[in-house]
Amino acid sequence: MGEIPYRVQIDYLSPTMDPVVSMMGKLAATFNPTLTYTDALASGKQFDIIWVPAGPLPNFATGDHRLPKDEIAFIVQQAPKAKYVMSVFAGVLSGKCATTNKALYRQIVALAPKDIEWVPQARWVVDGNVWTSSGVAAGSDMALAFVEHLLAGPKVARIIRGGVEIPEVTEKDDPFAVFHGLV
């Protein structure tokens, strides 16, 4: 039996302990939080890896975000000392290269801090310890690239890809940048 290089404990954070229901409603699985953002902050625990999925879209007319304040406080407090941050949160992206969803690319770039170097054609971008992806499917690709990074090779990621039938791609394989007229 091979050595396991990492042991992982996953905490799923949310503003409340209520089950989180997907956009598909009760037809899809719910996620049950293990901690609230407030409880995580109060615990003093430093998380090694922070994965921040895309949240509600901002109000493009006003530029106001719709993220819970305690989520923002958690990310701002945790991100500087985390080993890795997978995010589309602009407060974490300042001074970094990043990508985002191509259908909303222009709107997001217009609202984001100006010191982010946006990459229009990329499935995912890695800048130091910050990883960003360009959408839901690209997020799966980024997650598998992250597995390759952590385990220093593609073996485990290829097994996962084969099991869930996700084709192998690189960060440059981004047909949606062309589709949305970004390049």
Side-chain angles (χ1 to χ4, degrees), residues 128-180:
N129 70 333
V130 175
W131 296 52
T132 56
S133 73
S134 62
V136 174
S140 296
D141 296 330
M142 180 184 74
L144 290 163
F146 185 66
V147 167
E148 287 185 31
H149 169 77
L150 282 180
L151 301 179
K155 184 177 179 180
V156 173
R158 285 186 177 141
I159 292 169
I160 295 169
R161 283 183 188 284
V164 294
E165 299 184 358
I166 296 175
E168 191 164 343
V169 297
T170 72
E171 64 272 16
K172 305 281 186 217
D173 294 324
D174 185 8
F176 301 103
V178 173
F179 180 84
H180 290 289

Side-chain angles (χ1 to χ4, degrees), residues 13 18 24 34 37 74 130 145 157 167:
L13 279 59
D18 296 334
M24 295 184 65
T34 56
Y37 294 111
F74 171 81
V130 175

